[in-house]
Amino acid sequence: GRVWFQETAGQLWYLRKTEGGYQSQKVFQFPYEIRQVSWFNGGFWVLTNSAVYRMIENSDGTLVVGRQYPYSMKFGDVQIGSRAYVFHFAGKSRVLVGFNTGILSLDLKKGEWDEIREFSGISIRSIEQVEGLGILAGSYGDGYFLISEGKVLKMPMDREGRLNSVHSFIRDKRGYLWMPTNEGIVRASVGELAEYVSDHSVSPSFRIFNERDGLLSNEFNGGCNPAYVVSGDTVVVPSTAGLVMFLPNNFCKIVYY
């Protein structure tokens, strides 16, 4: 097995396990900082601030560019120089890329980019598929949104406005959605959120977990992928006070490491 890792200078490496331990090998040098790497549909994909790359792996483990999809045109507030944060594969033929200034959509069959205009000027922190809802996009300062069937819906806020900045979306086995923010972790019912999508008069309830519940800091981090790690029933999320571990399916306490 291998572990891939990246450097801000645009270098992509992997660790290969051998009989004598782990061996590191540099496999590619990109012209810009690497923002995210991901396996999708049998291929290896890399997100940078200049383009999305589909890579091909050689027999010796090195990589070459199979195809490059540069951000070659200006769409409203998304242009060359915008900072890419995350990308998400929406089906087999579309990629959504979240920037500090909006979201671009790539049609893989045509190789063409388009802008989702509803996100113009909005800093995107996460784009994730959530069972029972669809694709959710979290922002920095503008709340969170549902992307469904070509439409964008602004999702409901808690009364204190903690959901202004949402770093990730974590669905547990009990039907709750956990959303790390800059002001604690917010928990909501996926079912109630789905009801809101159908009927905007519905007011979902929100449970806030913050320093009063034992957190050392209310501020969580994001703008990366993955912005959390799931191991069995354990979820680990980053905060300004370190990594926070909790068991959402049998929630009783939060542990710091």
Side-chain angles (χ1 to χ4, degrees):
R2 288 177 295 177
V3 177
W4 296 89
F5 62 97
Q6 64 204 50
E7 296 184 10
T8 55
Q11 296 180 0
L12 183 65
W13 297 70
Y14 72 70
L15 291 177
R16 173 184 291 172
K17 189 174 183 179
T18 66
E19 293 181 358
Y22 283 93
Q23 178 185 13
S24 63
Q25 179 177 342
K26 177 182 174 181
V27 292
F28 202 82
Q29 174 69 58
F30 290 91
Y32 291 89
E33 175 185 358
I34 298 171
R35 303 298 297 159
Q36 183 181 339
V37 296
S38 179
W39 284 99
F40 170 73
N41 200 26
F44 188 75
W45 296 76
V46 177
L47 173 68
T48 74
N49 286 331
S50 65
V52 171
Y53 296 84
R54 188 187 190 284
M55 310 301 293
I56 296 175
E57 186 176 3
N58 294 321
S59 58
D60 63 355
T62 58
L63 296 175
V64 295
V65 175
R67 187 166 181 182
Q68 179 181 355
Y69 302 91
Y71 320 128
S72 57
M73 298 180 64
K74 177 178 177 180
F75 295 98
D77 292 320
V78 179
Q79 55 186 300
I80 300 301
S82 293
R83 187 173 180 83
Y85 281 120
V86 294
F87 64 174
H88 174 79
F89 294 91
K92 294 184 178 180
S93 61
R94 188 163 297 278
V95 180
L96 303 177
V97 180
F99 295 82
N100 62 327
T101 51
I103 294 180
L104 292 185
S105 174
L106 170 64
D107 187 321
L108 292 174
K109 293 181 178 179
K110 297 179 180 179
E112 298 176 353
W113 291 95
D114 196 7
E115 179 188 25
I116 303 181
R117 298 186 180 277
E118 290 86 347
F119 292 103
S120 180
I122 295 177
S123 182
I124 302 300
R125 305 297 282 177
S126 61
I127 306 174
E128 299 180 47
Q129 180 79 34
V130 176
E131 181 183 352
L133 285 172
I135 297 175
L136 291 178
S139 76
Y140 192 85
D142 290 282
Y144 65 116
F145 305 80
L146 175 69
I147 305 172
S148 178
E149 299 179 352
K151 298 180 180 180
V152 176
L153 173 65
K154 179 75 176 288
M155 295 297 283
M157 300 289 292
D158 62 296
R159 285 179 296 182
E160 293 81 10
R162 292 180 172 88
L163 289 168
N164 276 327
S165 297
V166 179
H167 300 303
S168 58
F169 304 94
I170 308 163
R171 191 191 193 282
D172 67 22
K173 297 177 181 178
R174 300 187 299 168
Y176 288 108
L177 186 65
W178 300 73
M179 295 172 279
T181 74
N182 285 349
E183 299 182 65
I185 300 178
V186 179
R187 187 183 71 182
S189 164
V190 172
E192 291 183 4
L193 293 175
E195 289 181 18
Y196 174 85
V197 173
S198 301
D199 180 359
H200 297 349
S201 67
V202 173
S203 298
S205 59
F206 299 97
R207 169 72 164 91
I208 314 298
F209 296 92
N210 53 30
E211 291 177 346
R212 290 176 298 181
D213 300 289
L215 290 173
L216 299 183
S217 171
N218 289 335
E219 187 173 351
F220 289 83
N221 296 325
C224 58
N225 192 300
Y228 63 91
V229 174
V230 178
S231 178
D233 288 333
T234 302
V235 175
V236 182
V237 292
S239 79
T240 56
L243 296 177
V244 179
M245 181 181 70
F246 65 101
L247 303 170
N249 299 314
N250 186 22
F251 189 76
C252 58
K253 64 179 180 179
I254 294 177
V255 180
Y256 275 88
Y257 279 91

